[in-house]
Amino acid sequence: MHIDTERYRIRPGEAVRLAERATDDTQGYTEAEHEEAAAALLEALTEESDVLQERLYAESKRSLLVVFQAMDAGGKDSTIRKVFSGLNPQGVRVWNFKAPTPTELAHDFLWRVHRRVPGDGYIGVFNRSHYEDVLVVRVHGLASEETIERRYDHINAFERLLHDEGTRIVKVLLHVSKDFQLERFRNRLAKPAKHWKFNPADLKERDRWDDYRRAFEIALERTSTEHAPWYVIPAEERWFRDVVVATILRDTLRDMDPQYPEPTFDPASYPPESLR
Ligand code: AMP
Ligand code: MG
């Protein structure tokens, strides 16, 4: 299997029409014929990313931030679980952004985000992010139009700052259809062990589907940059979704090419028999 990820990247300034982007693309592969190959590929990708993550940690000069956004039931939790399970948990920092607390609301919208970005050597994973402040906030009018307008620029400046200071950024929208979400909600309601995942309030958000889609389009158009690109990943075929995201992770780490530091001592001056 060879996965092309470039087709999912949003070019800076590109107009985004989510309705025109497939939610179930598999690049011609089928689950019946390629499920095993995909599982093997996922394992190989994860193993390579694990080695690269260790080098990133050893180098300790840069970090990687992977941002996940999606509609409710879009698969953020399960993607993060599948793609990052094979990595050393010590090197990965996952953070889940919930509705802001009063203290968080009393600060600028990036305050709570900045303190969760990964430090040198780490991979940070955001399950939701500062993008909520131009998504749910836009859909529900939780801030004024002018405030939201300015936030795209603040986001770009913030991500530019992170980039300049050594944090590589990739952003992933797990793209699913309204029908798919309905199926997921029904599935959650049908299984007692999934009830905790269902929130009746999600149905209210579902009613605003088109507003969310437009909010996503604006956000992608205004914040997909060379240094912090957005990828719109078809996320309905989960076996395929996972290998696409794992490929982006592996390719990004490969491109970063972290290096083990030069030892600060001469290993040759410590022959095995000299240690006791
Ligand atoms: P969940 O991810 O299912 O636990 O839900 C978290 C909820 O918090 C979602 O409904 C988000 O839209 C909401 N949320 C996250 N960040 C913000 C924010 N900055 N402003 C308002 N709501 C938010
Ligand atoms: Mg939810």
Side-chain angles (χ1 to χ4, degrees):
M1 275 180 98
H2 178 263
I3 310 286
D4 168 25
T5 59
E6 268 304 287
R7 70 174 73 177
Y8 305 130
R9 185 167 66 90
I10 303 298
R11 308 280 176 297
E14 180 184 346
V16 180
R17 297 281 165 268
L18 287 174
E20 289 164 16
R21 290 181 171 262
T23 51
D24 57 0
D25 177 40
T26 58
Q27 300 187 12
Y29 298 111
T30 62
E31 187 168 16
E33 280 179 62
H34 301 94
E35 195 182 14
E36 269 179 45
L41 177 57
L42 181 61
E43 198 180 320
L45 288 166
T46 313
E47 270 172 30
E48 189 179 342
S49 290
D50 185 48
V51 171
L52 288 163
Q53 194 282 322
E54 190 183 61
R55 273 166 48 179
L56 187 72
Y57 186 80
E59 180 194 79
S60 209
K61 287 185 178 152
R62 292 172 292 163
S63 59
L64 169 63
L65 173 61
V66 187
V67 172
F68 287 93
Q69 289 287 162
M71 292 297 286
D72 292 315
K76 298 186 300 300
D77 296 349
S78 70
T79 305
I80 291 168
R81 179 176 169 184
K82 291 295 280 291
V83 172
F84 293 92
S85 277
L87 273 63
N88 183 347
Q90 291 207 93
V92 182
R93 299 278 151 95
V94 186
W95 192 257
N96 212 302
F97 289 94
K98 302 290 185 183
T101 64
T103 307
E104 288 169 347
L105 277 177
H107 295 77
D108 70 85
F109 77 105
L110 293 171
W111 179 77
R112 68 172 183 162
V113 179
H114 205 165
R115 59 199 292 261
R116 300 294 172 190
V117 303
D120 289 345
Y122 290 92
I123 297 177
V125 180
F126 282 180
N127 185 335
R128 301 188 191 269
S129 66
H130 43 303
Y131 284 93
E132 293 291 330
D133 295 281
V134 292
L135 293 167
V136 61
V137 169
R138 176 181 271 279
V139 168
H140 289 279
L142 302 177
S144 73
E145 184 69 32
E146 302 81 67
T147 299
I148 295 167
E149 276 302 307
R150 283 195 296 261
R151 283 185 177 175
Y152 301 102
D153 295 335
H154 288 305
I155 286 172
N156 286 333
F158 172 60
E159 293 179 355
R160 161 61 74 183
L161 164 74
L162 296 180
H163 169 85
D164 288 350
E165 298 280 324
T167 301
R168 184 74 175 250
I169 305 169
V170 290
K171 302 174 296 198
V172 171
L173 167 59
L174 298 175
H175 185 36
V176 300
S177 67
K178 198 176 177 185
D179 287 346
F180 178 87
Q181 187 195 54
L182 182 63
E183 188 194 312
R184 300 316 303 157
F185 282 171
R186 285 184 175 149
N187 186 273
R188 285 178 179 182
L189 284 165
K191 295 184 184 164
K194 296 264 185 195
H195 286 173
W196 68 276
K197 279 213 149 201
F198 184 79
N199 180 352
D202 291 348
L203 294 175
K204 288 252 180 332
E205 302 309 307
R206 177 174 168 75
D207 288 339
R208 317 290 290 268
W209 185 273
D210 292 344
D211 296 339
Y212 270 104
R213 192 165 57 186
R214 189 65 204 126
F216 268 112
E217 288 173 346
I218 298 168
L220 296 174
E221 283 172 6
R222 299 199 38 189
T223 65
S224 199
T225 56
E226 287 299 343
H227 58 274
W230 272 106
Y231 290 84
V232 178
I233 308 295
E236 294 189 3
E237 295 293 336
R238 285 164 277 178
W239 61 278
F240 188 75
R241 167 201 73 189
D242 296 338
V243 284
V244 175
V245 176
T247 301
I248 292 171
L249 174 66
R250 191 278 312 267
D251 288 352
T252 306
L253 285 165
R254 256 193 195 175
D255 191 59
M256 290 174 79
D257 193 22
Q259 301 296 318
Y260 290 114
E262 285 299 321
T264 53
F265 56 90
D266 178 13
S269 57
Y270 299 93
E273 63 278 11
S274 75
L275 301 183
R276 51 189 83 241

